[in-house]
Amino acid sequence: MQQIPAELKTWLHASGSLTQQLTDVADGQFSVKLVKEHFQRLNFIDATWMQEPLHHISWVRESYLYGCESQPWVKAKSIFPIQSLQRRARIFKHIGAKPIGWFLFDRTEPKCERRVILLDEGWTRQSCYTWHGCKFIVQETFLPAFQQYLRKTKL
């Protein structure tokens, strides 16, 4: 089993808004590039984690998060079960290139269960949030460019 790189340990386990944390590290620079939004069936692992029926459809948002460099730092994927989109979390379907963190952590501290895994693209944290009674998953993969930036700046 691979060891988590030292520079990523605190990032993979940090609580709070990744949007704000990346903005702070990048001296106020932060942007989101929306890659794709689509509907898909929940997979077994995600359905089980959110305690949702496997046959339910989810709305998926995929994006890249950028700091102060031209290469993306994080690949993000958010999975919202249809039931969540019929309640307060419906705002997330219409935010475009705005960061989810702006809304998720606006005057709230949502309940969060987290797991850390290694995917082909890099070390990833998956967070299952409960926000105003809605459950959804936010997956954030820290890309090599971010690791290089951390090593270079010794953060």
Side-chain angles (χ1 to χ4, degrees), residues 5 29 48 59 66 69 74 85 90 94 111 119 134 147:
Q29 297 181 55
T48 302
W59 178 73
Y66 290 80
E69 297 186 318
V74 175
L85 294 177
R90 71 184 174 278
H94 304 286
K111 182 180 168 213
L119 298 177
C134 303
Q147 281 186 257

Side-chain angles (χ1 to χ4, degrees), residues 97-148:
K98 293 180 186 128
I100 286 175
W102 283 359
F103 302 91
L104 182 60
F105 294 98
D106 182 34
R107 297 181 301 244
T108 67
E109 272 301 317
K111 182 180 168 213
C112 176
E113 294 175 50
R114 179 157 300 143
R115 56 188 177 201
V116 173
I117 59 173
L118 180 58
L119 298 177
D120 290 340
E121 297 134 323
W123 283 97
T124 302
R125 69 183 200 178
Q126 293 178 319
S127 305
C128 184
Y129 288 105
T130 302
W131 181 80
H132 297 289
C134 303
K135 275 195 169 189
F136 51 89
I137 294 173
V138 176
Q139 175 176 298
E140 296 147 331
T141 301
F142 293 92
L143 300 172
F146 184 61
Q147 281 186 257
Q148 291 167 5

Side-chain angles (χ1 to χ4, degrees), residues 5 19 21 25 40 48 50-52 63 65 69 73-74 79 92-93 104 109 123 131-132 136 148 154-155:
T19 299
Q21 293 159 2
V25 167
Q40 73 179 40
T48 302
M50 289 189 286
Q51 300 172 345
E52 294 286 341
S63 60
L65 311 181
E69 297 186 318
W73 283 357
V74 175
I79 303 165
F92 294 115
K93 193 168 184 263
L104 182 60
E109 272 301 317
W123 283 97
W131 181 80
H132 297 289
F136 51 89
Q148 291 167 5
K154 304 237 188 310
L155 292 173

Side-chain angles (χ1 to χ4, degrees), residues 26-80:
D27 293 324
Q29 297 181 55
F30 180 84
S31 63
V32 176
K33 179 182 178 192
L34 193 57
V35 175
K36 181 164 82 168
E37 296 176 309
H38 57 99
F39 289 99
Q40 73 179 40
R41 236 178 243 299
L42 287 171
N43 68 36
F44 178 78
I45 293 170
D46 294 339
T48 302
W49 198 19
M50 289 189 286
Q51 300 172 345
E52 294 286 341
L54 184 58
H55 65 275
H56 278 193
I57 300 293
S58 62
W59 178 73
V60 178
R61 177 183 190 250
E62 298 178 46
S63 60
Y64 284 104
L65 311 181
Y66 290 80
C68 55
E69 297 186 318
S70 61
Q71 293 296 312
W73 283 357
V74 175
K75 181 178 180 183
K77 180 179 179 181
S78 304
I79 303 165
F80 297 89

